[in-house]
Amino acid sequence: DIAPTILSYTDSSSDLQPDGVSLKPAIETNEPIDREIILAEEAHTQRRRMVLNDAKKLIHLVGGDTVCRYCDIEHAPETELYDLENDPCEQENISTEQPEVSESLRELANEKAERWNKRRPDIRDGQQMEYEDEEEVAKRLEALGYK
């Protein structure tokens, strides 16, 4: 939402098509921002995608293994689903009790991510993130007792 907000305040015409919406109405008049979902990704040791709607939050693994490539530990299950109305602290993973909700949110997240990826040809779904100092990170973690 940062890029659309900056663009709306600068009144600049741009060919940029950033994801998100301008927060200008919320900032200036406290108008609520109406969203179908919020989508986020993390790709450090594993690639995970999070999708959040009004009542549920799904976090799922995007390709790969649930075991961390640095420390050989499973930090989280493949799929996590939380009922934010009844469990706002996300203590109870209900993905096995509500597989249809998990699958529906996963499909919605993947559809949105696929549209986003098409706009950015340098990002490939399922591609493993690599860092320039990958070997150095592995050495430091091993020195700390991991792996």
Side-chain angles (χ1 to χ4, degrees):
D1 296 337
I2 294 170
T5 302
I6 291 170
L7 287 172
S8 68
Y9 273 102
T10 60
D11 294 322
S12 66
S13 60
S14 171
D15 291 338
L16 257 175
Q17 296 178 358
D19 297 318
V21 296
S22 172
L23 300 177
K24 188 175 181 179
I27 293 167
E28 294 182 353
T29 64
N30 254 358
E31 260 181 64
I33 304 296
D34 185 31
R35 302 177 193 268
E36 179 186 10
I37 63 166
I38 295 174
L39 182 68
E41 283 199 24
E42 181 272 330
H44 182 59
T45 60
Q46 298 170 318
R47 187 160 169 225
R48 293 187 176 268
R49 187 171 288 148
M50 184 278 304
V51 60
L52 173 70
N53 68 11
D54 290 335
K56 302 279 197 263
K57 178 179 183 179
L58 177 79
I59 305 167
H60 68 94
L61 185 66
V62 180
D65 191 352
T66 58
V67 176
C68 173
R69 65 183 172 166
Y70 291 120
C71 63
D72 288 330
I73 294 173
E74 182 178 89
H75 298 289
E78 183 175 335
T79 303
E80 299 171 76
L81 178 67
Y82 300 101
D83 178 345
L84 299 177
E85 289 178 358
N86 298 310
D87 180 20
C89 294
E90 301 174 21
Q91 298 296 306
E92 186 181 349
N93 179 359
I94 58 171
S95 63
T96 55
E97 289 87 32
Q98 297 185 17
E100 68 288 341
V101 174
S102 295
E103 188 55 33
S104 172
L105 285 172
R106 181 189 310 265
E107 286 174 8
L108 181 60
N110 290 343
E111 174 190 310
K112 297 278 185 185
E114 187 176 315
R115 257 190 285 169
W116 182 77
N117 285 341
K118 283 181 182 175
R119 290 176 37 202
R120 290 162 180 82
D122 58 324
I123 298 172
R124 301 284 180 254
D125 205 26
Q127 181 179 8
Q128 186 166 326
M129 183 65 69
E130 303 244 343
Y131 301 93
E132 288 180 22
D133 60 347
E134 190 88 21
E135 196 173 306
E136 180 62 28
V137 170
K139 284 179 188 175
R140 287 181 181 181
L141 287 169
E142 196 169 329
L144 291 170
Y146 294 97
K147 228 172 188 178

